[in-house]
Amino acid sequence: MKLDEHETLAGMIHRLAAWQTATMNRQLRTLGLNTDQANVIRYVGAHPGVNQQTVARLLSRNVASLTNLLKSLETKKLIERRYEDGDVRTKHLLLTANGQQINERVQQCFDKLDDQVNQVLPAEVQAATSEAIETLVKQLVDHA
């Protein structure tokens, strides 16, 4: 439902993103995390050894701001940053044992959100919507 007849597609996407962020933050707060921290944990869990630059691109953050985020996750003993292959400029990220346990709980939060969306949209609409959003992300976000 549009707020009014003048609301644009971009405006509706913004409202949906705000809902998603608020919903996830409520769930993640119980784990002591925010959505960026949870996204790092999920990505590192799925891609052990990923470098910081890749994660910075994923979150649309500069490397300096990501460093602060990673330090907070290290302080919580959820990730480790390691130098590999003798290159002290590139740090690779790994989950700790505690980080792996938290990752499972984070994934449950994201699964719950997906279930909410899937309950609203029929399967055939889900596929078309997913394709349309993937196109938007590729053209607008990945090329920004």
Side-chain angles (χ1 to χ4, degrees), residues 103-142:
N103 187 30
E104 290 174 17
R105 294 180 63 198
V106 165
Q107 189 57 51
Q108 290 171 356
C109 292
F110 280 92
D111 289 346
K112 183 177 177 182
L113 183 73
D114 283 338
D115 289 344
Q116 287 179 276
V117 171
N118 293 339
Q119 287 174 10
V120 173
L121 296 176
E124 63 276 3
V125 175
Q126 290 174 31
T129 303
S130 181
E131 188 176 315
I133 291 172
E134 185 176 340
T135 298
L136 286 170
V137 168
K138 284 180 182 175
Q139 294 298 312
L140 301 176
V141 178
D142 292 348

Side-chain angles (χ1 to χ4, degrees), residues 50-57 63 66-67 70 81 91 93:
V50 64
N51 66 46
Q52 289 183 202
Q53 292 81 5
T54 300
V55 175
R57 278 193 308 276
V63 175
L66 178 69
T67 298
L70 295 176
R81 293 187 289 173
K91 291 182 182 174
L93 308 173

Side-chain angles (χ1 to χ4, degrees), residues 64-80:
S65 111
L66 178 69
T67 298
N68 289 331
L69 175 67
L70 295 176
K71 283 180 184 178
S72 73
L73 292 172
E74 276 185 308
T75 299
K76 294 177 184 201
K77 301 194 184 317
L78 299 176
I79 66 161
E80 295 178 6

Side-chain angles (χ1 to χ4, degrees), residues 3-14:
L3 285 177
D4 63 41
E5 68 273 4
H6 302 293
E7 186 175 31
T8 64
L9 176 60
M12 288 186 286
I13 291 170
H14 173 75

